[in-house]
């Protein structure tokens, strides 16, 4: 029997992950008190193969029962139930924004500041996060992207890459990307904006891409940048980093940065990395 325990930060997408697992044929149970994990596993084992894939969401909504999680994991091991832990995380500002959009209080601090509840929850979840087999940072993921990541792990059986690389295009005239770990300025490349037939297009249009990648400096830059990233990525993983945000900036964020961001992500994916492209400013004037 395949037994998956979904846990992580409140607001990081555990419910969406459970729905994705359900669509993949898993028998799912939400908000199961950790102390009941062994009993639930026992019942599933007695189904005589009827239930062979199980996903259970366990989190701090279980209140004081969450403290029993490690005892329950030890009990599962004694029962020879092989389990895997999927931990969902997100950056604090993203979690705060999600709570405000839903107008919900944090379960650990229902009458106080959301950020205080988040900080308390991080402390409570630190040990289980260290035990997790998979950690997915959902800060930059859409629901579709999250489902794709889960499918790669539990259906397609791809090797899991702990580090998610988010490459974000932006325009300097709209302000620098504040949450980036690395920022690269591509304004040294000739600007398609000054070509009348390209001005109203974006870096996702073929004519713009052909113009940008026709320049030798563009391709030399990409080659050197990708070589540097291949050098850095193993060290980021070694330090326990789960998300690397790379900003690619041009003047307006519509042409050069968009085309180069997409190209970087394609190259990283081709080398087996978990990479996501997003464009902050390409729809702005």
């Amino acid at each position: 029997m395949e037994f998956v325990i979904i846990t992580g930060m409140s607001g990081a997408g555990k419910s969406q992950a459970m729905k994705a697992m359900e669509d993949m044929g898993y028998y799912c149970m939400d908000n199961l008190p950790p102390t009941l994990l062994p009993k639930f596993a026992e019942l599933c084992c007695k189904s005589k193969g009827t239930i062979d894939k199980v996903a259970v969401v366990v989190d701090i909504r279980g209140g004081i029962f969450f403290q029993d999680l490690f005892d329950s994991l030890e009990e599962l091991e004694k029962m020879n139930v092989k389990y895997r832990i999927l931990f969902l995380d997100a950056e604090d500002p993203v979690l705060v924004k999600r709570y405000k959009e839903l107008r919900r209080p944090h379960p650990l601090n229902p009458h106080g500041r959301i950020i205080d509840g988040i900080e308390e929850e991080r402390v409570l979840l630190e040990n289980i996060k260290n035990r997790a087999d998979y950690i997915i940072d959902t800060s930059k993921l859409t629901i579709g992207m999250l489902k794709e990541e889960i499918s790669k792990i539990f259906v397609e059986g791809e090797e899991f890459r702990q580090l998610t690389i988010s490459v974000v295009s932006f325009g300097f005239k709209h302000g620098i990307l504040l949450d980036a770990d690395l920022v690269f300025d591509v304004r040294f490349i000739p600007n398609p904006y000054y070509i009348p037939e390209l001005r109203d297009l974006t870096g996702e249009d073929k004519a713009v891409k052909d113009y940008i990648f026709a320049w030798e400096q563009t391709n030399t830059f990409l080659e050197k940048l990708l070589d540097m990233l291949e050098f850095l990525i193993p060290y980021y993983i070694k330090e326990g980093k789960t998300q690397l945000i790379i900003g690619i900036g041009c003047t307006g964020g519509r042409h050069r940065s968009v085309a180069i961001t997409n190209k970087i992500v394609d190259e990283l994916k081709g080398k087996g990395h978990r990479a996501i492209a997003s464009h902050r400013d390409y729809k702005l004037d």
Side-chain angles (χ1 to χ4, degrees), residues 204-253:
E204 295 191 321
D205 292 298
K206 184 177 183 301
V208 173
K209 289 187 285 187
D210 289 345
Y211 177 84
I212 291 170
F213 292 107
W215 299 93
E216 181 180 355
Q217 58 262 46
T218 305
N219 297 290
T220 301
F221 167 76
L222 275 171
E223 181 181 347
K224 292 182 180 296
L225 174 57
L226 290 167
D227 185 57
M228 182 182 71
L229 291 176
E230 286 299 318
F231 168 76
L232 291 173
I233 287 169
Y235 291 101
Y236 283 125
I237 294 173
K238 185 178 180 181
E239 288 299 313
K241 195 171 183 63
T242 59
Q243 184 175 54
L244 175 66
I245 302 176
I246 302 170
I248 305 294
C250 63
T251 304

Side-chain angles (χ1 to χ4, degrees), residues 6 14-15 18 28-33 55-59 61:
I6 303 171
K14 296 187 295 297
S15 295
M18 186 186 68
C28 296
M29 178 69 70
D30 188 22
N31 196 21
L32 185 71
V56 180
V57 176
V58 175
D59 56 31
R61 286 177 297 170

Side-chain angles (χ1 to χ4, degrees), residues 10-154:
S10 301
K14 296 187 295 297
S15 295
Q16 296 300 330
M18 186 186 68
K19 291 177 183 177
M21 300 290 281
E22 195 168 33
D23 290 342
M24 296 170 193
Y26 284 77
Y27 182 85
C28 296
M29 178 69 70
D30 188 22
N31 196 21
L32 185 71
T35 189
L36 295 180
L37 274 174
K39 178 60 69 175
F40 182 68
E42 181 183 350
L43 290 173
C44 292
C45 289
K46 289 180 178 179
S47 70
K48 297 180 180 180
T50 304
I51 301 175
D52 59 353
K53 297 195 300 183
V54 179
V56 180
V57 176
V58 175
D59 56 31
I60 52 90
R61 286 177 297 170
I64 60 172
F65 296 112
F66 190 76
Q67 300 171 9
D68 300 325
L69 179 56
F70 286 98
D71 291 337
S72 295
L73 294 180
E74 186 176 336
E75 190 64 29
L76 289 177
E77 291 165 5
K78 291 178 181 178
M79 296 166 57
N80 292 320
V81 174
K82 295 183 179 180
Y83 61 85
R84 290 185 285 175
I85 300 173
L86 170 63
F87 189 98
L88 299 183
D89 202 353
E91 298 168 357
D92 289 358
V94 174
L95 294 174
V96 171
K97 181 181 178 183
R98 290 174 181 173
Y99 270 104
K100 286 186 175 181
E101 287 175 346
L102 295 173
R103 298 182 179 180
R104 293 182 59 194
H106 192 280
L108 290 181
N109 197 17
H111 305 295
R113 297 178 66 215
I114 294 171
I115 190 63
D116 292 337
I118 291 172
E119 291 173 355
E120 182 181 351
E121 186 177 20
R122 286 206 182 279
V123 174
L124 291 173
L125 295 179
E126 183 178 3
N127 290 333
I128 192 63
K129 183 177 181 179
N130 292 334
R131 285 277 298 272
D133 297 282
Y134 315 106
I135 300 173
I136 298 179
D137 189 316
T138 67
S139 301
K140 301 289 183 180
L141 301 185
T142 63
I143 293 174
M145 289 175 178
L146 175 58
K147 185 172 182 178
E148 182 181 353
E149 289 296 320
I150 292 173
S151 177
K152 287 178 181 178
I153 298 169
F154 296 104

